[in-house]
Amino acid sequence: MIDWLLDDSPTSRLQANMGRAWRVWTALLRNPLAVVGALIVLVLVVMAIFAPLIAPYSPVGQDLANRLMPPSAEHWMGTDELGRDIYSRVVYGARITLLIVTMVAVIAAPIGLVVGAVSGYFGGWVDRVLMGVTDIFLSMPKLILALAFVAALGPGIENAIIAIAITAWPVYARIARAETITFRDSEFISAVRLQGASATRVILRHVLPLCASSTIVRVTLDMAGIILTAAGLGFLGLGAQPPLPEWGAMISRGRNFILDQWWVATMPGFAIILVSLGFCFLGDGLRDVLDPKQGEKQ
């Protein structure tokens, strides 16, 4: 089976794709940090899917008789000011975090990929206009821009996702444009044009797939920034609204007890740091595998 996957002359597209996937997988396994990052992300996904089975308590159930209890065998991460189990809230908060990073990636990456590919392929005034708009977004800090959009749209997890996605796509557009410029005049693109393919077909069938690997790497590396931005919005009360167990909002409520009941704000903070590091480690590993030249520059 392995010999079939690693065949230098694949007989079908399926064999070629599976062989490439196998090489990527084995290369990732040789990178210890990438494996650690993948395990952290896997734990996040498992927690999000099986939260009702993993969490021992309801994330919104209150028990005022046990408010602000320190970590113990009964409450592994302690309880908050309303007696809610922090461990259960952190587990359920994984759902919100995974939802945010997934939706932002699904919205922002395709937009940036298409804008960058169109800009790089056509050049000229199309490139100047699209990159001018992109540079306007890139000139402003992401968190400040997200705050402005959320303030206009109103607080809530849906509006936070839209605001973060609006601030995230320009980076992917720049990457896709740079990739497209390198091969837009290559022989295989010229051959496709001579066959009568339209610009839309060339971009969709030939340009975008070649830009996908660099975009995937960048999306993975940006996950940590997306999580921190979402946590910042939640901390300011502009993200997920109570009683949803969003990690940034939990830190915001716990800051009032940071001196005496440190665990209220510290536990969700650890979760944010750990998941952010996991995506960073995984992104670095993917960059080394999918984009080795960029990895050498780093």
Side-chain angles (χ1 to χ4, degrees):
M1 182 65 178
I2 296 179
D3 292 337
W4 180 78
L5 290 173
L6 299 179
D7 193 341
D8 293 332
S9 302
T11 57
S12 66
R13 180 175 296 181
L14 175 63
Q15 182 181 0
N17 291 335
M18 292 184 66
R20 176 174 172 78
W22 176 259
R23 291 184 179 90
V24 170
W25 173 252
T26 53
L28 280 177
L29 291 180
R30 291 194 293 268
N31 188 328
L33 289 180
V35 173
V36 172
L39 290 176
I40 293 174
V41 174
L42 179 61
V43 170
L44 175 70
V45 174
V46 171
M47 287 174 58
I49 295 175
F50 299 104
L53 301 177
I54 297 174
Y57 301 95
S58 167
V60 296
Q62 300 181 15
D63 183 8
L64 297 179
N66 290 311
R67 62 187 299 271
L68 298 175
M69 296 294 292
S72 62
E74 185 178 2
H75 300 283
W76 293 354
M77 294 184 178
T79 61
D80 63 9
E81 74 280 7
L82 297 177
R84 297 173 296 192
D85 182 66
I86 295 178
Y87 171 71
S88 299
R89 289 177 62 79
V90 168
V91 170
Y92 273 90
R95 287 186 164 185
I96 298 176
T97 299
L98 189 62
L99 172 66
I100 292 174
V101 297
T102 302
M103 292 305 299
V104 170
V106 168
I107 296 172
I111 293 175
L113 195 59
V114 171
V115 170
V118 170
S119 177
Y121 182 80
F122 287 106
W125 67 269
V126 175
D127 182 36
R128 290 193 295 272
V129 171
L130 292 179
M131 286 302 101
V133 175
T134 301
D135 289 340
I136 292 174
F137 280 89
L138 288 174
S139 65
M140 292 176 281
K142 287 185 178 181
L143 181 57
I144 303 301
L145 194 58
L147 285 172
F149 281 113
V150 172
L153 298 172
I157 188 171
E158 297 86 359
N159 292 337
I161 291 173
I162 294 173
I164 298 173
I166 291 174
T167 64
W169 70 266
V171 176
Y172 311 132
R174 274 292 181 183
I175 293 174
R177 174 184 179 272
E179 291 278 349
T180 304
I181 289 176
T182 60
F183 56 73
R184 68 181 177 186
D185 296 323
S186 59
E187 293 181 356
F188 77 94
I189 294 292
S190 301
V192 174
R193 290 174 183 155
L194 290 175
Q195 292 176 355
S198 64
T200 302
R201 181 178 178 84
V202 172
I203 292 174
L204 293 178
R205 296 294 299 275
H206 302 280
V207 175
L208 293 182
L210 291 174
C211 300
S213 61
S214 298
T215 304
I216 291 173
V217 171
R218 183 67 195 198
V219 167
T220 309
L221 289 171
D222 283 351
M223 289 298 187
I226 293 171
I227 293 172
L228 294 175
T229 302
L233 294 177
F235 183 86
L236 296 173
L238 298 175
Q241 298 299 296
L244 291 177
E246 197 274 324
W247 294 343
M250 292 171 64
I251 295 176
S252 178
R253 296 179 68 88
R255 62 180 174 171
N256 298 322
F257 314 98
I258 192 66
L259 295 180
D260 297 322
Q261 290 83 27
W262 53 268
W263 56 87
V264 180
T266 302
M267 297 305 179
F270 279 150
I272 292 174
I273 294 173
L274 187 62
V275 173
S276 298
L277 285 176
F279 278 112
C280 286
F281 291 156
L282 180 59
D284 283 338
L286 287 175
R287 181 187 60 200
D288 294 339
V289 174
L290 299 177
D291 195 4
K293 293 182 180 180
Q294 188 66 23
E296 293 173 1
K297 293 179 182 179
Q298 297 294 331

